[in-house]
Amino acid sequence: PRSTLSSSSAASDVYKRQGQGTCGLEIIEQSKKLGLEKAEVLVCCGGGGLSAGISLVLEKYAPYYKLRTCEPEFYDDTARSLKSGKREINETNYPSICDAILTSTPGEITFPILKRNAREGLVASETEVLLAMKLLYQHFKIVSEPGGAVAAAAAIFSKNKLKEKDIIVVVSGGNVDSEVFSKAISEN
């Protein structure tokens, strides 16, 4: 399968200061250049702001692109909510390196948008996230925080759940602790 990688920090000057949907505009712009007609768009998800913003743009301008939220293991409130149709709550305090996207429940505003626009959510383990961080650095020279690498981990380790041949992964956030990054780089 072909894939493209979009980093939310690379938005063109035209789209700066336009909100979380600008990443969706960037995805559409980059994928048109690659000739992609259909794709699954994997986005790391905490409360759902980035995912919902991207999904609104895709809904309007690229309806054949299907968004999949990606969350860390034990914090899969959005995946469970998409499955049940109502906002589910995480009732765990399990420690996670994906601290930037740990939420107890999907956002009140964002969940109805995701319920309308997103496919089944994906979940990645901490080990999978660390390996994805390593691969992002080795192959793309991207330093990603763990929460920002969850979508890449889901793309790598949930291949059997993906429906389209083209997969777009959004990597978001580079605020990674040096010890965590060193651990990721040394993962086998």
Side-chain angles (χ1 to χ4, degrees):
R2 293 183 297 175
S3 63
T4 183
L5 184 67
S6 178
S7 171
S8 63
S9 64
S12 66
D13 290 338
V14 176
Y15 301 128
K16 283 184 181 171
R17 295 182 301 276
Q18 298 297 316
Q20 292 148 324
T22 60
C23 186
L25 294 170
E26 185 178 350
I27 288 168
I28 293 167
E29 183 181 299
Q30 289 181 18
S31 13
K32 280 184 182 177
K33 289 178 185 174
L34 293 170
L36 304 182
E37 294 177 15
K38 291 170 111 179
E40 285 188 87
V41 180
L42 279 54
V43 183
C44 53
C45 184
L50 180 61
S51 300
I54 292 171
S55 81
L56 287 170
V57 170
L58 296 178
E59 177 185 42
K60 183 170 183 172
Y61 299 109
Y64 296 110
Y65 284 39
K66 301 303 177 190
L67 186 124
R68 303 284 292 264
T69 58
C70 302
E71 297 169 289
E73 189 175 39
F74 307 114
Y75 291 92
D76 61 344
D77 48 288
T78 301
R80 288 184 293 110
S81 298
L82 289 170
K83 192 172 189 171
S84 74
K86 61 183 173 105
R87 291 171 64 219
E88 299 290 342
I89 297 172
N90 288 324
E91 297 187 18
T92 183
N93 286 327
Y94 191 83
S96 175
I97 60 171
C98 300
D99 56 346
I101 60 170
L102 301 183
T103 58
S104 60
T105 191
E108 191 174 327
I109 295 171
T110 58
F111 180 64
I113 296 167
L114 291 172
K115 186 176 170 183
R116 182 177 75 230
N117 293 334
R119 282 188 176 164
E120 175 188 0
L122 302 171
V123 178
S125 72
E126 205 160 278
T127 301
E128 292 167 344
V129 169
L130 288 168
L131 185 54
M133 289 171 64
K134 178 180 182 173
L135 295 173
L136 286 168
Y137 182 71
Q138 286 179 330
H139 297 283
F140 300 102
K141 300 302 178 223
I142 294 174
V143 175
S144 174
E145 65 190 51
V150 169
I156 296 165
F157 295 102
S158 296
K159 289 185 271 188
N160 60 330
K161 293 182 179 182
L162 301 174
K163 312 253 188 269
E164 301 296 335
K165 86 173 177 170
D166 294 320
I167 307 300
I168 298 168
V169 174
V170 176
V171 176
S172 174
N175 297 321
V176 60
D177 178 81
S178 59
E179 287 181 34
V180 173
F181 188 69
S182 294
K183 182 178 178 182
I185 296 304
S186 64
E187 275 294 302
N188 290 327

